[in-house]
Amino acid sequence: MRNAPTILHLDMDAFFAQAEQASKPSLRGKAVVVGGLGPRGVVATASYEARVFGVHSAMPMAQARRLAPNAAYLVPRGAFYRQISDQVMALLRALSPLVEPLSLDEAFVDLEAGEAAWDSESARLAGVRLRADIRAVTGLTGSVGLAASKMLAKIASEQAKPDGLVLIEPGTERSLLAPMPVRTLPGVGPATGDHLRRAGITTVGEMVEAGEDELVRLLGKAHGHALYGMALARDDRPVVAERETKSVSVEDTYDVDIHDRVRVELEVQRLADRCVRRLRGAGLSGRTIVLKVRRYDFSTLTRSETLRGPTDDPAVVREAAARLLDAVDTTGGVRLLGVGVSGLADFTQEDLFAQAAEVRAAEVRAAEVRAAEVRPEGAEEEVPEAPAVSEVVPAEHRWRPGLDVRHAELGHGWVQGSGLGRVTVRFETPGSGVGRVRTFRIDDLDLEPAQPLPLVPRRPDGAPAVDTAGRGPRPGNAR
């Protein structure tokens, strides 16, 4: 444990929903739910206005609609969120070389490593400046926790929500933790929490009173020792700048079970192509191909095949996935399919000339597959991408609620809804007032998909609205 609160944890507030509200003036201050909109979709993020009605992430979308029928329900725009995330992470890296991203909207920062803070006062100032810079650059808010350890910094940021900052002074950790529920500690999930509750342990302080031996008896040696240490506020985990990627995978959940074997095979081929694109985008290759199939009865099968060497060849991955599928019975119907690659490396062992020929042949086959496939309504277990502007997709999937559009005369807007051959669009931008609504035929030639607009105006050179380089005092010139 450190003697200064120089570990910072940032968590953006209801990130996806907040980004949608900032992008769409008519939704500001209103309940917004982002996620898969099909009958089997789940909530990715709910705005704080929607949480008042009991809506939360990972909830089935059908249940969310019952709780908040008047909320705005939107599909995720993965590429848009990643752009904002990149801006936020750049601000964090301006503070320190040790930044540990946990997701698009969450990260730890070692302020001491970047000489951005060395005591409570300088840490608080760094947190205040960071929140101000995030708002200036992205237009969004984030909550900041500051403490002497990662565990406590994360607890502090949770207490700070929404749009706040909490600093835990060294020496106060145990008194702060004592009255908190046991579920506050990382590693205490619903099952462990219920097990402790049945033993009469409901708070962190009661865990300390029970003693290490009792926790080991209840939870096992490794888990008991670890939780007892955390209950005493012990956490020496460092902030790790790079986290090794162990696998790359993609999967889709389907609104209606797929029974047609040919359709299942086409979906697996499409998923294999997507997986390879993601693999290559990360500059990786892998030896083990994994197929995931969730059947009509919710039973989930995972099959894998390990190759002689790492590959990023789409033809090789498709063929391996097809072989794995041959051993799976899908006659009862399939609700989820996934393809992944593990055993990752940063090189391949195939002959480059042969691989180039394979890729050219694979691209032809992929084009044939894309022409024949029907895209699913939405993915349940990953952030879906909005279709690229130039991508050819069925008309009914081009006009999904929340996606950006542009009209030849009326300009930029977003889809409020579509059906019966019509699409309703609200024409507004992040910097405008509440826009007007118009309805068009889905085949209106003046209406086309568009890219999201930035939430905050940029300088002509594309630089952030504020200069975050060199912000804040340093130990050498502050004393």
Side-chain angles (χ1 to χ4, degrees):
M1 290 282 291
R2 304 183 178 194
N3 56 13
T6 53
I7 292 182
L8 179 148
H9 181 260
L10 170 73
D11 197 351
M12 300 296 289
D13 302 319
F15 182 45
F16 297 170
Q18 185 188 180
E20 296 297 346
Q21 289 175 318
S23 179
K24 302 170 173 65
S26 58
L27 298 183
R28 293 170 189 169
K30 298 183 179 179
V32 174
V33 180
V34 179
L37 301 189
R40 289 177 176 168
V42 298
V43 175
T45 308
S47 69
Y48 286 96
E49 296 85 354
R51 295 180 191 188
V52 172
F53 298 98
V55 180
H56 58 78
S57 61
M59 171 182 285
M61 191 61 76
Q63 182 181 357
R65 289 184 184 275
R66 290 193 295 269
L67 292 173
N70 296 320
Y73 289 87
L74 310 176
V75 297
R77 296 184 290 166
F80 177 53
Y81 306 145
R82 272 187 278 275
Q83 290 173 1
I84 301 172
S85 175
D86 288 344
Q87 293 176 316
V88 173
M89 295 302 165
L91 293 174
L92 298 183
R93 293 187 178 96
L95 284 175
S96 172
L98 290 184
V99 176
E100 182 178 342
L102 303 179
S103 62
L104 289 178
D105 63 335
E106 185 180 3
F108 287 109
V109 183
D110 188 334
L111 297 176
E112 192 173 308
E115 297 184 340
W118 54 94
D119 59 14
S120 295
E121 182 181 359
S122 58
R124 186 181 295 277
L125 286 174
V128 169
R129 286 195 301 269
L130 173 64
R131 292 179 58 240
D133 287 347
I134 289 174
R135 184 183 286 275
V137 171
T138 70
L140 306 182
T141 64
S143 295
V144 167
L146 292 155
S149 70
K150 291 168 70 173
M151 178 187 75
L152 291 164
K154 185 171 175 62
I155 290 173
S157 70
E158 189 64 31
Q159 290 183 323
K161 283 185 167 294
D163 190 20
L165 182 151
V166 168
L167 183 149
I168 299 176
E169 289 284 359
T172 67
E173 295 94 346
R174 287 186 60 176
S175 59
L176 176 78
L177 286 175
M180 292 184 175
V182 294
R183 290 287 303 276
T184 302
L185 298 181
V188 182
T192 301
D194 287 344
H195 194 47
L196 291 171
R197 179 181 54 78
R198 288 193 294 270
I201 301 173
T202 59
T203 68
V204 176
E206 289 170 347
M207 292 178 70
V208 175
E209 292 175 5
E212 187 171 12
D213 291 342
E214 178 64 7
L215 292 180
V216 168
R217 186 187 68 81
L218 290 170
L219 306 173
K221 186 174 181 179
H223 202 189
H225 280 309
L227 288 184
Y228 185 71
M230 285 188 284
L232 293 174
R234 296 173 185 162
D235 179 18
D236 295 321
R237 293 173 300 158
V239 176
V240 181
E242 296 294 335
R243 302 181 124 214
E244 183 181 358
T245 302
K246 296 183 178 180
S247 65
V248 173
S249 63
V250 296
E251 57 187 43
D252 278 337
T253 299
Y254 305 95
D255 293 337
V256 178
D257 289 346
I258 303 175
H259 293 84
D260 183 359
R261 181 70 178 193
V262 173
R263 169 77 189 284
V264 172
E265 292 170 351
L266 289 174
E267 288 295 315
V268 168
Q269 299 295 292
R270 181 178 64 82
L271 289 166
D273 285 340
R274 278 176 54 196
C275 184
V276 169
R277 286 197 296 271
R278 182 171 294 184
L279 193 70
R280 288 183 165 182
L284 298 170
S285 59
R287 295 185 62 209
T288 302
I289 315 303
V290 181
L291 175 71
K292 179 179 177 182
V293 180
R294 182 169 298 156
R295 298 188 291 191
Y296 70 98
D297 59 356
F298 285 88
S299 62
T300 302
L301 303 176
T302 303
R303 300 288 184 267
S304 64
E305 175 182 322
T306 299
L307 308 174
R308 287 179 296 176
T311 184
D312 65 351
D313 188 326
V316 173
V317 176
R318 276 200 305 270
E319 290 166 4
R323 286 194 297 271
L324 294 170
L325 181 62
D326 286 342
V328 178
D329 179 12
T330 62
T331 53
V334 170
R335 60 182 289 119
L336 177 147
L337 289 168
V339 174
V341 178
S342 61
L344 301 181
D346 56 3
F347 63 93
T348 60
Q349 293 183 348
E350 288 89 357
D351 175 79
L352 295 178
F353 296 101
Q355 181 175 332
E358 288 274 8
V359 169
R360 285 194 294 271
E363 288 173 347
V364 174
R365 291 195 296 272
E368 295 172 350
V369 170
R370 285 194 294 272
E373 73 183 9
V374 177
R375 295 185 179 275
E377 178 65 20
E380 180 177 306
E381 298 185 33
E382 63 175 6
V383 179
E385 296 284 358
V389 174
S390 61
E391 191 173 348
V392 178
V393 297
E396 63 271 21
H397 290 161
R398 298 175 71 196
W399 314 123
R400 298 165 68 192
L403 296 186
D404 297 84
V405 296
R406 174 167 292 279
H407 189 272
E409 295 181 6
L410 301 175
H412 192 93
W414 59 278
V415 177
Q416 281 199 322
S418 64
L420 301 177
R422 302 281 178 175
V423 54
T424 300
V425 177
R426 184 179 289 274
F427 290 95
E428 60 187 7
T429 66
S432 73
V434 175
R436 57 180 173 172
V437 176
R438 293 283 300 272
T439 299
F440 308 89
R441 292 176 55 89
I442 62 171
D443 57 357
D444 192 315
L445 296 179
D446 287 336
L447 193 67
E448 62 180 2
Q451 297 291 351
L453 298 177
L455 298 181
V456 174
R458 311 285 286 179
R459 297 203 308 244
D461 61 0
V466 296
D467 181 9
T468 61
R471 294 289 296 272
R474 292 291 185 266
N477 57 23
R479 295 178 179 174

